[in-house]
């Protein structure tokens, strides 16, 4: 499963755990007359909390591994998502400490639980919620013009010519696999997090920005990206050319 789809799936499971946590907490503390057995509800609430903790840790690992491997500069949305995620872990840790050790603060748990639920909704909304919305639950496929509408290829239009030597293509493929395959499929036009790159320099326009599909515009997209793509401004000029050399083979 693609990392972003796995991350979104985990986020939805976390959402279910949040809703279960809210329901069980309300049943324990919100009813004058108990509808369910209080001890059993408490056990469900505790088990759900443990599941919630491990899911959050798994999601945090996926997020940080993505940032470390891509070395991407976080967008404002990613920064808010990270802030919410760290807050969730801190509040959850506070709840565990109070429930297990510092029981003199037990009266604060109800408030902490409500804050935890609110922050969790914010965390999920800025990640899986956004991803599923903009990709129509992963089904959004960019429209690519058919071959009979192509006049010339991007490489032929460009002042900057894509390299064709095997070494540049090999290094470009390695860079692409390390930096780009989290979000893009090189062998199709299907959307993962970003559009697929099959035939990207053989089409008249780039799939998202609509700019002419020429090496210069791909270089600009890597350094000062259009929309939500992270910046790869740290790449050297040779590395950018190597990625373009590989894209020209797709």
């Amino acid at each position: 499963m693609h990392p972003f789809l796995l991350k979104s799936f985990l986020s939805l499971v976390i959402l279910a755990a949040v809703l279960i946590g809210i329901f069980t907490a309300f049943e324990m503390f919100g009813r004058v007359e108990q509808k369910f057995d209080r001890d059993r509800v408490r056990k469900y609430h505790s088990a759900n909390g443990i599941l919630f903790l491990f899911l959050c840790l798994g999601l945090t690992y996926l997020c940080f591994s993505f940032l470390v491997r891509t070395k991407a500069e976080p967008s404002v949305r990613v920064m808010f998502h990270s802030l919410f995620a760290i807050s969730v872990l801190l509040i959850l840790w506070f709840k565990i400490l109070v429930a297990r050790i510092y029981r003199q603060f037990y009266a604060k748990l109800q408030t902490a639980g409500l804050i935890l639920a609110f922050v969790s909704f914010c965390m999920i909304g800025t990640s899986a919620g956004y991803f599923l919305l903009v990709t129509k639950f992963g089904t959004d496929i960019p429209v690519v013009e058919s071959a009979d509408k192509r006049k010339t290829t991007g490489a032929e239009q460009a002042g900057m010519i894509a390299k064709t030597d095997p070494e540049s293509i090999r290094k470009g493929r390695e860079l692409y696999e390390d930096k780009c395959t989290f979000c893009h499929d090189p062998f199709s036009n299907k959307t993962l997090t970003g559009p697929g790159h099959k035939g990207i320099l053989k089409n008249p326009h780039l799939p998202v920005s609509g700019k002419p599909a020429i090496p210069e515009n791909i270089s600009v997209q890597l350094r000062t990206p259009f929309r939500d793509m992270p910046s790869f401004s740290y790449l050297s000029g040779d590395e950018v050319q190597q990625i373009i050399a590989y894209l020209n083979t797709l």
Side-chain angles (χ1 to χ4, degrees), residues 39-242:
D39 290 335
R40 181 172 294 181
V41 172
R42 182 182 289 108
K43 289 179 181 178
Y44 288 152
H45 185 79
S46 297
N48 183 72
I50 294 171
L51 174 64
F52 180 80
L53 173 62
F54 281 104
L55 288 171
C56 286
L57 290 174
L59 198 59
T60 300
Y61 171 78
L62 288 177
C63 292
F64 278 102
S65 64
F66 170 76
L67 290 175
V68 169
R69 290 192 63 183
T70 61
K71 299 179 181 178
E73 296 181 10
S75 65
V76 174
R77 179 181 62 81
V78 172
M79 291 296 292
F80 273 106
H81 173 65
S82 301
L83 178 62
F84 290 135
I86 293 171
S87 299
V88 164
L89 291 176
L90 290 176
I91 298 169
L92 187 57
W93 186 243
F94 168 78
K95 286 195 66 183
I96 293 172
L97 287 176
V98 171
R100 301 295 180 181
I101 303 174
Y102 303 107
R103 298 185 65 84
Q104 65 270 30
F105 298 113
Y106 197 82
K108 306 293 184 182
L109 283 185
Q110 298 177 36
T111 302
L114 291 174
I115 296 173
L116 177 62
F118 173 76
V119 176
S120 298
F121 283 128
C122 293
M123 177 186 71
I124 296 167
T126 53
S127 178
Y130 173 84
F131 171 75
L132 294 174
L133 181 64
V134 299
T135 63
K136 298 179 181 178
F137 291 87
T139 62
D140 184 23
I141 300 176
V143 178
V144 179
E145 294 187 46
S146 59
D148 59 352
K149 293 184 179 180
R150 301 172 188 164
K151 295 182 179 179
T152 57
T153 68
E156 292 170 345
Q157 296 174 23
M160 173 183 176
I161 302 299
K163 292 183 177 181
T164 57
D165 60 286
E167 184 64 13
S168 293
I169 294 171
R170 182 187 68 79
K171 290 182 177 179
R173 183 180 67 252
E174 291 177 354
L175 285 166
Y176 186 95
E177 290 174 350
D178 186 48
K179 311 290 184 185
C180 308
T181 52
F182 287 94
C183 303
H184 303 283
D185 183 355
F187 305 117
S188 78
N189 297 122
K190 293 182 178 180
T191 295
L192 297 179
T193 297
H197 284 161
K198 182 179 180 181
I200 187 169
L201 276 170
K202 298 177 176 64
N203 296 317
H205 303 292
L206 296 178
V208 176
S209 68
K211 295 179 180 179
I214 58 177
E216 287 98 325
N217 285 335
I218 292 179
S219 177
V220 170
Q221 178 70 9
L222 286 168
R223 298 189 181 283
T224 55
F226 180 76
R227 288 192 181 172
D228 297 311
M229 175 176 161
S231 172
F232 294 90
S233 58
Y234 60 85
L235 292 175
S236 67
D238 286 341
E239 288 174 325
V240 170
Q241 287 188 320
Q242 289 160 0

Side-chain angles (χ1 to χ4, degrees), residues 29-44:
F29 303 113
R31 284 186 182 273
V32 177
E33 296 181 1
Q34 293 296 312
K35 184 177 180 181
F36 303 102
D37 181 75
R38 189 184 183 90
D39 290 335
R40 181 172 294 181
V41 172
R42 182 182 289 108
K43 289 179 181 178
Y44 288 152

